[in-house]
Amino acid sequence: MTLLAVERIKLFTTRSPWWCAAVALTIVIGFAALITGTAPSDFPITVATSQFGYSFGLAVIMVLAALSITTEYRFGTIKSTFLAVPNRTAVLLAKTGVVALLALVIGEIAAFGALGVSALLAPGSDLALNSAADWRQVAGVGLVYAITAVMGVAVGTLVRHSAGAISLLLIYVMVVETLVPIIPRVGDDIYKWLPFNVAEKFLSGDGAVRGASEGPPLSTSTLSPWVALAYFAGVAAVLLTAAIMVARRRDA
């Protein structure tokens, strides 16, 4: 518990988490307001459309998570931490837990805030959470953000440089996963197993409760929603394990 308290204090005494949280909330809720407020009268406003901006907030969560560890390497505070607590595994797990919890809270506030704004701007639309799929679409955003934060901390630990870690994370999500499907013959098969495509399957399922044009693009993964979440979490666990092993072997 002491380690968790220390990591919480270190995280919240810097400006970057506050700025990142504010930006993520503004983007997700702002997109919902923009889409709902400017939609033509015949455009269906649904639970899915209210969550259209979650992927942009996801990029901000990556930045937040990466900065939580790379700034410690940049300013050398990680050395003092490892001297005070020689168990590096415990330190990194505590930091990851605190950052993931913050990402979870941001995700839930953003998702339900976006839903609330949409309901306020389009009171006649059907935005009730009537099914498990609807609940996953909204409440699941926090879980995806939390797991993404674990990945961000892991990559930040491996790279140790803020610019490098952030660039690697954003390029992967925004470029690599987007371009893989265009690889001849094998692209679509590979894309089915890429982590953020699989995470989308958890959130949107097979799209049975919404049209393909409502909300973010549907996932091509063949996994069921909860298995997809487990797979996504497994990828994050592998990355974090690799990061901890590397951190234990090299100098701070």
Side-chain angles (χ1 to χ4, degrees):
M1 293 303 292
T2 301
L3 266 178
L4 291 173
V6 169
E7 292 300 331
R8 175 183 57 79
I9 292 170
K10 286 197 294 184
L11 181 65
F12 287 107
T13 50
T14 58
R15 294 180 181 178
S16 57
W18 297 102
W19 279 108
C20 288
V23 171
L25 292 173
T26 300
I27 289 175
V28 178
I29 298 175
F31 258 101
L34 180 64
I35 292 173
T36 306
T38 60
S41 57
D42 59 342
F43 184 82
I45 302 299
T46 65
V47 172
T49 57
S50 74
Q51 303 303 310
F52 191 86
Y54 97 89
S55 59
F56 298 99
L58 187 73
V60 181
I61 294 299
M62 289 182 171
V63 174
L64 186 159
L67 287 176
S68 71
I69 182 68
T70 57
T71 51
E72 289 217 52
Y73 280 105
R74 178 185 177 188
F75 294 108
T77 55
I78 195 71
K79 295 180 181 180
S80 301
T81 301
F82 286 159
L83 285 173
V85 184
N87 188 343
R88 297 186 178 188
T89 299
V91 170
L92 292 175
L93 287 177
K95 178 177 291 294
T96 303
V98 170
V99 176
L101 181 59
L102 174 60
L104 174 67
V105 173
I106 293 173
E108 296 302 324
I109 294 175
F112 282 98
L115 183 68
V117 165
S118 296
L120 183 65
L121 295 177
S125 299
D126 182 13
L127 292 168
L129 302 179
N130 294 319
S131 66
D134 288 336
W135 277 101
R136 265 200 332 271
Q137 185 87 57
V138 180
V141 171
L143 294 175
V144 172
Y145 277 18
I147 296 172
T148 299
V150 174
M151 294 181 177
V153 173
V155 172
T157 304
L158 290 168
V159 178
R160 299 200 293 184
H161 297 285
S162 298
I166 293 170
S167 298
L168 185 62
L169 287 164
L170 296 183
I171 288 172
Y172 175 79
V173 174
M174 297 182 176
V175 179
V176 175
E177 286 210 4
T178 303
L179 295 179
V180 165
I182 70 175
I183 299 174
R185 289 184 291 185
V186 299
D188 289 337
D189 292 332
I190 296 173
Y191 184 62
K192 290 178 181 178
W193 298 98
L194 295 184
F196 290 95
N197 178 46
V198 174
E200 181 59 41
K201 184 58 177 281
F202 166 68
L203 292 174
S204 59
D206 58 5
V209 297
R210 69 175 173 93
S213 62
E214 298 173 13
L218 293 174
S219 171
T220 60
S221 173
T222 57
L223 300 175
S224 65
W226 288 103
V227 173
L229 180 67
Y231 176 88
F232 187 54
V235 173
V238 170
L239 277 175
L240 182 61
T241 301
I244 291 173
M245 292 176 64
V246 170
R248 290 178 62 181
R249 290 177 178 270
R250 69 185 179 191
D251 293 336

